[in-house]
Amino acid sequence: MSYFKIADLEQYFKHTKKAVREPRKFWGKMAEEAFLWYQAPERVFEFDFTNGDIKWFMGGKLNITKNCIDRYVARKGDKNAIIFESNNPDEPTQFISYNDLYQRVCKTANVLKSLGIEKGDRVCLYLPMIPELAIAMLACARIGAIHSVIFAGFSDAAARRRIEDCGAKLVITADGGFRGDKTIKLKEVIDKAINGLDCVEKVLVVKRTNQDIPFQAEKDVWFDELYANASEECNPEIMDAEDPLFILYTSGSTGKPKGMVHTTGGYMVQTAYTFANVFDYKEEDIFWCTADLGWITGHSYMLYGALLNGATTVIHEGIPTYPTPSRYWDIIDKHKVTHFYTAPTAIRSLMTNDYSYITSHDLSSLRVLGSVGEPINEEAWHWFNDFVGKKRCPIMDTWWQTETGAILIAPLAFKTPTKPTYATLPLPGTQAVLLDEHGEEIEDFQQMGNLCIKHPWPSMARTIWGDHKRYVETYFSTFPGYYFTGDNALRDEVGYYRIVGRTDDVIIVSGHNLGTAPIEDAINQHPAVAESAIVGYPHEIKGNTMYGFISLKVEGNYRDRDNLKKEINQLIADHYGPIGKLDKIQFVDDLPKTRSGKILRRMLRAIANNQENNLGDTSTMINPEILKKIIEEKL
Ligand code: WTA
């Protein structure tokens, strides 16, 4: 009996039990039966949560691209692997079959080889949402290079931190990118980002916008020129199951971003398994995930999970509202999209438009809807259900993280009854628990606790690149013996999970996980700024947005407060990216602090969220007198 496809809810419960009682058998059999290995795994897993040592499918030898591409070339090479819709609806759609994908990935892999890229080298990708990005990721995987995709909305400083941290030998970028009515200058950003960085030997430049760009003959290489003559065959590198597949940076609550390292075998098994089951994938389906490939959702479901199942995946370069707010609905009707997997923030932004944009569309091809990235509020859930799914399509509210690699808590389409705002049940192999502040497991209903997981799963990130100590501290030290997600959640009487939000200082704005620390770092570079603290507060469209409390050290030339606010937001845009700009900035005499000098963010969070009567214990403060004025001057 294979555990790969779950037939019904009864089987779901059976598999869940099986995965707890006999996890080696459960995962081992699935891995062996459903995938191509050069050599089957010898041991299913080993783990030690104290030291953060986790290994899956040890001794297994494989190449993930053989599982994503080669096996479907053999079976159904003419089927579309990728459907590419440009930012500009007048540009013809690109249909990339599995045969085409094979050829393009092999050629690109040979381009990388010709630049001296070998197994284990890091390659950063800073590209628009064009097929070349997906192909470059797969080309890296083909030759065993570790890809690290940097979201192309990040500033040069943010890109530099990531490129430097992983020691990338090669950066792949484009002359520019199209996004709505804007043309983004990607190459210029990369030039600044790598200025003086010794690790980067070459910059490979894809042509997208054909704009003029600065070109340095010693470092820069045109992709097209090498690609034209590259061979169409590239044997896959034989990888160990535990060899890294990619590094993807995610925000931490303190300091620099964390380079989460995902390895090959476990990631392959679990992304494929969850794609097939959560979305009830069928052979003829057209799957569209609207996330950017620069985030984990793009990695796991637009790309790897989809191709591992031999699916057709849609890649859209642009934004939901360009050239009109019917762009998404046009694409769904045009390609008869069956699965639409998006984020609450996108739903909320589309909800605010004239409803005729959506009601004028058929959308009858849709079968399953998905949501990810942040809690979906009731109103958005109902709009999604009523207007997009026309009350016919179940909504998969999928909970997971960059660190988890794959969906861990979600309904199974057409099997698990859904409930608005609940991610419902943990998938087989996910042993979720809620812990109180003492680390005791909470059994009661509707009691909020810290969401933790007490057994490893195949697709979990294995370390933070270059900083294993931080990995152990972040995920395994808060509650010894458990993986700590950093999320608060509660459970209802049937065991459905509702994810409430983050327990730390990561704020999710428009579905993007933003760490406050690097944004505060950017603000603090302003000569007038003494200190800053950012907290989140609810926003109708973005889910959350940011409120900055800033104390100044010099008035001097900065009396014009509006101008000062603009300068601060500009600094954020330059050093972090425009996505980190603050919606509200309040200048304060001082920030509330403990005696040991720690900023009391929970108080600021309460103030920004209109809960100033609920500031908690003020007795440990060194400066309680400042609170009154902060509250009075609140924006
Ligand atoms: C939040 C995205 C509520 C959560 C895949 C998590 C969610 C963080 C949901 C990870 C959901 C993700 N309901 N909250 N369905 N999905 N989150 O790393 O706080 O970008 O810890 O991964 O997003 O964000 P990340």
Side-chain angles (χ1 to χ4, degrees):
M1 169 188 176
S2 168
Y3 308 108
F4 197 71
K5 209 66 198 255
I6 304 168
D8 51 31
L9 205 55
E10 195 187 330
Q11 207 177 54
Y12 157 81
F13 286 112
K14 262 195 201 151
H15 287 192
T16 299
K17 274 199 200 119
K18 179 97 187 170
V20 173
R21 284 204 213 116
E22 297 178 277
R24 289 180 203 284
K25 200 163 170 195
F26 177 80
W27 288 112
K29 213 161 177 242
M30 184 192 309
E32 235 182 276
E33 281 180 8
F35 301 90
L36 302 177
W37 300 84
Y38 294 107
Q39 192 179 304
E42 283 151 15
R43 269 178 77 68
V44 178
F45 62 80
E46 255 174 30
F47 79 102
D48 165 3
F49 272 4
T50 312
N51 299 311
D53 287 333
I54 294 135
K55 293 194 183 83
W56 280 84
F57 306 124
M58 292 127 78
K61 304 278 180 208
L62 75 160
N63 187 292
I64 195 169
T65 66
K66 212 168 143 69
N67 284 278
C68 287
I69 311 170
D70 303 34
R71 67 165 153 175
Y72 297 114
V73 165
R75 284 189 218 160
K76 48 181 183 186
D78 291 337
K79 179 176 174 174
N80 286 326
I82 294 174
I83 296 180
F84 172 67
E85 267 296 319
S86 152
N87 179 65
N88 174 0
D90 297 331
E91 199 181 294
T93 303
Q94 271 189 53
F95 296 95
I96 302 172
S97 68
Y98 275 89
N99 284 335
D100 299 337
L101 187 64
Y102 176 85
Q103 195 196 67
R104 289 177 70 170
V105 168
C106 284
K107 288 186 82 168
T108 304
N110 286 324
V111 169
L112 300 183
K113 277 189 176 173
S114 74
L115 294 171
I117 300 301
E118 295 175 355
K119 178 175 176 181
D121 287 340
R122 275 80 62 207
V123 177
C124 280
L125 311 181
Y126 188 78
L127 282 162
M129 281 286 291
I130 52 178
E132 285 79 358
L133 172 53
I135 289 165
M137 291 166 76
L138 296 164
C140 287
R142 187 87 177 166
I143 62 169
I146 304 170
H147 60 70
S148 186
V149 183
I150 301 171
F151 172 59
F154 274 129
S155 70
D156 57 284
R160 183 188 182 91
R161 270 197 295 275
R162 288 157 173 79
I163 295 168
E164 189 172 21
D165 186 74
C166 72
K169 197 161 157 187
L170 175 72
V171 176
I172 309 181
T173 188
D175 45 1
F178 299 116
R179 214 178 144 71
D181 56 8
K182 295 200 187 79
T183 305
I184 323 263
K185 296 177 178 170
L186 299 176
K187 173 67 167 53
E188 281 184 24
V189 175
I190 287 301
D191 283 345
K192 272 199 207 154
I194 64 161
N195 188 18
L197 271 192
D198 291 338
C199 61
V200 179
E201 291 174 9
K202 293 280 178 209
V203 175
L204 187 59
V205 189
V206 175
K207 266 202 183 109
R208 174 62 181 141
T209 54
N210 288 313
Q211 67 202 86
D212 280 340
I213 54 161
F215 205 80
Q216 298 161 350
E218 9 19 295
K219 224 170 207 181
D220 299 339
V221 196
W222 283 111
F223 175 74
D224 283 357
E225 287 174 9
L226 297 183
Y227 185 82
N229 299 317
S231 152
E232 291 177 8
E233 287 298 331
C234 175
N235 281 335
E237 185 76 31
I238 298 179
M239 305 296 285
D240 191 90
E242 279 299 328
D243 280 335
L245 174 64
F246 65 86
I247 302 170
L248 185 59
Y249 285 86
T250 185
S251 308
S253 53
T254 52
K256 51 181 199 164
K258 299 173 289 195
M260 304 314 307
V261 177
H262 281 283
T263 58
T264 311
Y267 179 82
M268 172 180 76
V269 170
Q270 205 161 3
T271 52
Y273 171 64
T274 49
F275 179 91
N277 285 298
V278 171
F279 300 111
D280 183 43
Y281 170 70
K282 298 214 163 33
E283 180 64 34
E284 300 308 317
D285 287 339
I286 308 285
F287 185 86
W288 183 19
C289 162
T290 68
D292 195 283
L293 277 166
W295 310 119
I296 192 71
T297 308
H299 280 58
S300 299
Y301 296 101
M302 181 186 300
L303 194 66
Y304 287 111
L307 298 183
L308 285 164
N309 281 281
T312 300
T313 184
V314 177
I315 299 182
H316 172 227
E317 181 184 31
I319 56 172
T321 49
Y322 181 82
T324 72
S326 60
R327 182 70 171 132
Y328 273 9
W329 323 130
D330 291 340
I331 293 177
I332 291 172
D333 279 350
K334 180 171 175 190
H335 297 297
K336 305 267 177 284
V337 170
T338 54
H339 289 67
F340 182 60
Y341 187 28
T342 191
T345 183
I347 300 167
R348 287 190 296 263
S349 77
L350 291 164
M351 271 165 68
T352 58
N353 295 297
D354 180 345
Y355 281 18
S356 65
Y357 283 116
I358 183 159
T359 51
S360 58
H361 286 73
D362 177 42
L363 307 184
S364 63
S365 58
L366 286 174
R367 214 158 60 75
V368 179
L369 303 178
S371 170
V372 60
E374 57 188 318
I376 177 164
N377 50 303
E378 284 262 5
E379 198 192 355
W381 194 98
H382 286 291
W383 190 85
F384 201 25
N385 186 52
D386 298 356
F387 287 89
V388 185
K390 318 246 184 200
K391 301 188 178 164
R392 292 182 296 104
C393 306
I395 298 176
M396 302 303 104
D397 181 355
T398 62
W399 175 86
W400 57 299
Q401 310 178 293
T402 304
E403 294 85 338
T404 69
I407 298 170
L408 295 192
I409 305 182
L412 304 174
F414 305 108
K415 299 174 183 90
T416 317
T418 61
K419 175 172 173 179
T421 77
Y422 282 76
T424 78
L425 299 169
L427 299 177
T430 298
Q431 299 188 30
V433 290
L434 296 178
L435 300 184
D436 67 16
E437 68 272 28
H438 309 296
E440 298 294 327
E441 288 193 22
I442 298 172
E443 303 290 342
D444 294 349
F445 312 137
Q446 300 297 349
Q447 192 185 326
M448 196 152 86
N450 297 287
L451 179 61
C452 293
I453 297 166
K454 67 176 174 190
H455 191 278
W457 62 97
S459 65
M460 69 193 292
R462 302 293 193 262
T463 189
I464 293 175
W465 184 262
D467 199 349
H468 193 68
K469 193 163 161 263
R470 188 174 176 202
Y471 173 75
V472 175
E473 275 164 13
T474 311
Y475 305 106
F476 300 101
S477 68
T478 317
F479 299 105
Y482 296 88
Y483 167 88
F484 176 42
T485 64
D487 282 340
N488 277 321
L490 48 82
R491 238 180 345 231
D492 74 2
E493 56 292 347
V494 298
Y496 276 16
Y497 281 81
R498 176 178 183 160
I499 314 301
V500 179
R502 303 285 307 169
T503 61
D504 56 20
D505 286 319
V506 174
I507 304 172
I508 301 181
V509 179
S510 299
H512 298 144
N513 214 333
L514 307 185
T516 52
I519 302 174
E520 289 165 4
D521 289 347
I523 300 172
N524 296 351
Q525 290 190 23
H526 194 285
V529 170
E531 273 185 313
S532 58
I534 299 169
V535 297
Y537 69 98
H539 183 275
E540 214 181 316
I541 291 168
K542 302 184 206 172
N544 293 290
T545 186
M546 290 186 288
Y547 194 126
F549 294 90
I550 298 176
S551 65
L552 300 177
K553 51 186 173 200
V554 281
E555 275 275 6
N557 297 329
Y558 301 104
R559 289 219 172 78
D560 180 348
R561 291 296 169 87
D562 286 338
N563 194 43
L564 182 54
K565 286 181 184 176
K566 274 194 202 130
E567 287 180 9
I568 287 171
N569 266 329
Q570 190 56 47
L571 266 175
I572 297 174
D574 293 343
H575 291 272
Y576 188 84
I579 192 169
K581 283 188 186 177
L582 305 178
D583 271 354
K584 288 185 183 174
I585 296 179
Q586 179 177 352
F587 295 107
V588 296
D589 294 335
D590 198 358
L591 296 171
K593 287 189 192 141
T594 63
R595 283 169 205 278
S596 58
K598 269 184 102 152
I599 298 172
L600 284 158
R601 285 165 204 279
R602 65 178 162 84
M603 290 190 179
L604 295 171
R605 205 176 293 133
I607 294 169
N609 285 281
N610 299 323
Q611 291 169 354
E612 47 268 38
N613 297 329
N614 196 8
L615 292 183
D617 183 12
T618 53
S619 66
T620 59
M621 288 181 72
I622 195 159
N623 52 358
E625 72 286 352
I626 61 155
L627 287 173
K628 187 163 173 270
K629 192 165 171 215
I630 297 182
I631 293 168
E632 279 168 3
E633 293 180 354
K634 189 175 86 177
L635 300 171

